[in-house]
């Protein structure tokens, strides 16, 4: 690994120059909220790109140039210096992303873009410039793709809003193809409010126009953020910050009859309202607000949910749906605690559980002839990852069911393996004494136990 150009003296601990610069940018942004930064590019130096390289994932598939992280690192200093020169001189040309497809839950294919490694490094370097600025501006209701914020914090904030603010009407919002329909002109106008550095803005424009390469044909979309790039989530957050977050806090909340709040994780948005009429008014004006910026609400995935503990029967066409809703992979519902109080319980959403089990089924079928220790290692890793996300207080039954289904699926496909056709459940259970799978456990113990 090549060291930064300003390496530390052996035996001494020097401050990270990049972190120091980021703190300086953040301090200026915090002290001067109306400022639009016109000089950021001077922070771009070798140390900055080296840190961008370190923060870039190296295990992804290569882009259209076929360059892997291992090959790039063989001449890392020369490659980063060459990249820096092209970035600062304006000669950098953003390459098209390589198109691939992955299966969705409904059987359709979702298009993804794979940038080149060098493009990921360049985008990461720009994110490192912009993030300290916008982290001073973003509101507390926003959680997605932000440093120090997680889906579990969003879930806890939502639970507190429902239980602490008497939130009984839920507006479950879904913006149709959000990342692919962001209007470039409107996005540039949003960026103008805080960032006007010429070099940085030209780079962003190049990425917006880079296009997608599929079957040798390059297409340039007229809207949307760079596919697969590390810059895309930040640009998406900036756009919704101005389009939705500020608007809701400044213009909507003061005009409502009761208490209300909003929790947003990227484009997953949930509004919490004390009164039904407030939720219905917000949905109506929100459609007009989003249309002004080229966005639309999904007609079937946007729901008004009656989340009262004791619901009245309502058969009104287009009225509220059943008293549960999904957010970030969890189904939210009311349940009495051990002390008799009503609390919000989160359980693994059925679709997420079904998707995870399909993945286990496919793996065990395709790898049933692999060595047992290799299968065991993979399944251990999968179970730990599942517990790390879904292991929240109140969800023990769901993660326990997932663990049982994983064992059942593994046993099923081992029975179809040559030499193990008479692997009874008793023999399989004995085998698990040697190849122990991780037991379900609660990782996130916030909230009240039912």
């Amino acid at each position: 690994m090549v060291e930064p150009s300003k390496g530390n003296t052996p035996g001494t601990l020097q401050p990270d120059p990049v972190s120091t610069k980021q703190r300086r940018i953040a301090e200026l942004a915090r002290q001067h909220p109306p400022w639009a930064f016109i000089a950021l590019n001077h922070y771009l130096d070798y140390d900055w790109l080296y840190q961008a390289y370190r923060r870039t994932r190296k295990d992804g598939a290569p882009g259209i140039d076929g360059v892997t992280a291992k090959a790039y690192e063989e001449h890392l200093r020369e490659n980063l210096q060459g990249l820096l020169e092209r970035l600062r001189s304006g000669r950098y040309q953003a390459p098209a992303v390589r198109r691939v497809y992955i299966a969705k839950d409904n059987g359709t294919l979702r298009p993804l873009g794979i940038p080149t490694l060098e493009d990921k490094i360049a985008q990461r370097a720009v994110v490192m410039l912009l993030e300290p600025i916008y982290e001073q501006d973003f509101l507390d209701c926003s959680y997605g793709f932000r440093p120090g914020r997680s889906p579990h914090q969003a879930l806890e904030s939502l639970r507190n809003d429902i239980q602490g603010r008497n939130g009984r009407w839920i507006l479950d919002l879904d913006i149709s193809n959000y990342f692919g329909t962001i209007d470039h002109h409107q996005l540039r106008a949003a960026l103008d409010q805080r960032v006007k550095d010429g070099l940085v803005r030209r780079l962003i424009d190049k990425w917006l126009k880079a296009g997608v390469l599929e079957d040798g044909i390059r297409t340039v979309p007229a809207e949307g953020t760079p596919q697969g790039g590390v810059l895309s989530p930040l640009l998406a957050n900036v756009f919704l910050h101005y389009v939705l977050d500020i608007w809701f806090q400044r213009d909507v909340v003061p005009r409502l009859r009761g208490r209300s709040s909003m929790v947003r994780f990227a484009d997953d948005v949930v509004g919490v309202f004390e009164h039904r009429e407030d939720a219905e008014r917000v949905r109506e004006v929100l459609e007009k607000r989003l249309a002004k910026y080229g966005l639309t609400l999904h007609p079937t995935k946007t729901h008004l949910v009656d989340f009262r503990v004791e619901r009245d029967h309502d058969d009104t066409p287009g009225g509220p749906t059943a008293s549960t809703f999904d957010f970030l992979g969890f189904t939210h519902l009311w349940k009495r605690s051990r002390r008799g109080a009503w609390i919000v319980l989160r359980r693994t959403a059925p679709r997420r559980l079904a998707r995870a089990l399909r993945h286990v089924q496919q793996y065990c079928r395709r790898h049933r002839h692999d060595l047992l220790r290799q299968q065991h290692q993979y399944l251990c890793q999968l179970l730990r990852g599942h517990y790390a996300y879904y292991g929240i207080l109140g969800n023990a039954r769901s993660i326990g069911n997932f663990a049982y289904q994983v064992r059942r699926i593994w046993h099923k496909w081992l029975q179809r393996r040559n030499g193990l056709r008479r692997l009874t459940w008793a023999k399989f259970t004995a085998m698990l004494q040697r190849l122990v799978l991780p037991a379900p456990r609660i990782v996130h113990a916030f909230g009240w136990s039912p």
Side-chain angles (χ1 to χ4, degrees):
M1 179 69 71
V2 179
E3 295 296 329
S5 59
K6 300 177 183 178
N8 294 339
T9 303
T12 63
L13 183 62
Q14 301 292 334
D16 178 8
V18 173
S19 297
T20 302
K21 293 175 184 177
Q22 288 183 307
R23 285 194 294 270
R24 174 59 177 164
I25 296 172
E27 185 63 25
L28 289 173
R30 182 166 49 253
Q31 292 178 355
H32 306 282
W35 274 14
F37 286 75
I38 61 174
L40 288 170
N41 63 84
H42 65 279
Y43 291 108
L44 281 174
D45 55 18
Y46 181 84
D47 288 336
W48 196 277
L49 281 189
Y50 177 79
Q51 290 299 325
Y53 170 79
R54 290 189 61 187
R55 300 179 190 185
T56 299
R57 288 186 57 181
K58 316 296 191 303
D59 56 352
I64 62 174
D65 60 0
V67 176
T68 64
K70 183 178 180 180
Y72 196 84
E73 189 175 322
E74 291 178 357
H75 303 283
L76 183 58
R77 180 178 291 277
E78 294 82 355
N79 288 331
L80 291 182
Q81 287 176 337
L83 175 60
L84 175 62
E85 181 182 348
R86 282 177 283 133
L87 289 174
R88 303 201 64 172
S89 66
R91 293 186 295 106
Y92 182 78
Q93 298 298 321
V97 298
R98 181 166 64 88
R99 172 83 83 191
V100 296
Y101 293 90
I102 62 172
K104 296 175 64 175
D105 291 342
N106 58 11
T108 61
L109 296 177
R110 171 180 294 170
L112 294 179
I114 301 180
T116 64
L117 176 66
E118 191 168 69
D119 205 46
K120 293 178 184 178
I121 298 170
Q123 289 191 35
R124 175 62 65 187
V126 171
V127 168
M128 289 162 55
L129 286 172
L130 301 183
E131 207 168 60
I133 299 172
Y134 286 107
E135 279 302 308
Q136 314 313 309
D137 297 350
F138 288 157
L139 304 184
D140 288 340
C141 65
S142 170
Y143 289 87
F145 305 107
R146 293 182 57 187
R149 296 199 155 212
S150 70
H152 298 97
Q153 291 175 329
L155 289 165
E156 181 65 357
S157 176
L158 176 60
R159 186 194 67 85
N160 291 338
D161 287 347
I162 294 173
Q163 297 191 167
R165 298 187 178 185
N166 200 30
R168 295 300 181 263
W169 296 90
I170 305 298
L171 193 55
D172 185 6
L173 303 175
D174 186 281
I175 303 176
S176 297
N177 189 23
Y178 172 62
F179 285 85
T181 56
I182 296 177
D183 182 84
H184 289 175
H185 176 73
Q186 300 277 11
L187 176 60
R188 293 186 184 100
L191 290 169
D192 280 342
Q193 300 189 45
R194 281 301 246 168
V195 178
K196 292 187 176 181
D197 180 280
L199 186 148
V200 172
R201 293 298 300 274
R202 283 192 295 271
L203 280 173
I204 293 175
D205 278 344
K206 288 179 180 180
W207 283 313
L208 292 176
K209 301 174 183 177
V212 177
L213 187 66
E214 182 177 7
D215 297 329
I217 300 175
R218 179 175 177 265
T219 58
V220 180
E223 54 190 13
T225 55
Q227 291 195 15
V230 296
L231 181 63
S232 181
L234 177 59
L235 294 181
N237 266 339
V238 169
F239 196 56
L240 276 188
H241 170 70
Y242 291 108
V243 173
L244 183 60
D245 299 356
I246 292 180
W247 169 77
F248 183 83
Q249 183 186 73
R250 181 189 61 198
D251 299 334
V252 175
V253 172
R255 291 176 169 83
L256 298 180
R257 173 187 164 197
R259 289 174 291 183
S260 63
S261 62
M262 183 180 69
V263 175
R264 180 173 69 82
F265 193 92
D267 60 332
D268 291 331
V269 187
V270 172
V272 181
F273 302 90
E274 189 174 1
H275 302 294
R276 174 175 179 173
E277 55 267 32
D278 286 343
E280 292 175 336
R281 285 180 58 198
V282 170
R283 176 171 180 170
E284 181 180 350
V285 299
L286 182 59
E287 291 181 352
K288 300 176 182 178
R289 172 73 177 180
L290 294 180
K292 179 181 177 181
Y293 293 91
L295 303 173
T296 57
L297 288 176
H298 197 288
T300 61
K301 295 182 180 180
T302 297
H303 306 285
L304 175 60
V305 180
D306 184 348
F307 204 59
R308 293 173 294 177
V309 176
E310 298 179 359
R311 301 174 60 237
D312 297 327
H313 187 67
D314 189 346
D315 293 326
T316 305
T321 61
S323 57
T324 65
F325 67 94
D326 292 350
F327 182 59
L328 298 181
F330 290 90
T331 296
H332 293 65
L333 64 153
W334 286 104
K335 187 176 179 65
R336 285 193 182 273
S337 70
R338 294 190 180 99
R339 298 180 179 179
W342 286 103
I343 63 169
V344 176
L345 188 70
R346 283 75 55 92
R347 289 179 175 166
T348 308
R351 290 180 59 183
R352 290 291 188 93
L353 180 60
R355 184 175 68 182
L357 290 176
R358 279 199 304 272
H359 176 76
V360 176
Q361 186 87 244
Q362 292 170 358
Y363 172 82
C364 290
R365 177 175 59 84
R366 294 171 182 172
H367 297 270
R368 62 185 181 273
H369 297 297
D370 290 359
L371 294 175
L372 286 178
R373 66 172 179 272
Q374 293 177 345
Q375 297 182 48
H376 173 257
Q377 182 179 11
Y378 180 84
L379 292 176
C380 286
Q381 181 181 3
L382 184 146
L383 285 167
R384 292 191 187 100
H386 190 88
Y387 303 153
Y389 187 81
Y390 293 102
I392 68 174
L393 199 63
N395 197 36
R397 181 180 300 177
S398 293
I399 62 175
N401 177 51
F402 179 75
Y404 168 75
Q405 294 296 337
V406 169
R407 294 194 300 271
R408 187 186 63 81
I409 293 171
W410 194 20
H411 172 248
K412 167 188 171 182
W413 288 105
L414 285 180
Q415 283 184 309
R416 288 158 173 76
R417 171 177 168 148
N418 293 335
L420 291 177
R421 295 186 183 277
R422 296 184 180 180
L423 181 65
T424 64
W425 185 259
K427 292 180 180 179
F428 176 70
T429 303
M431 185 191 81
L432 292 181
Q433 300 299 317
R434 295 182 292 104
L435 301 174
V436 180
L437 293 174
R441 69 187 189 95
I442 299 300
V443 178
H444 308 280
F446 48 70
W448 294 296
S449 177

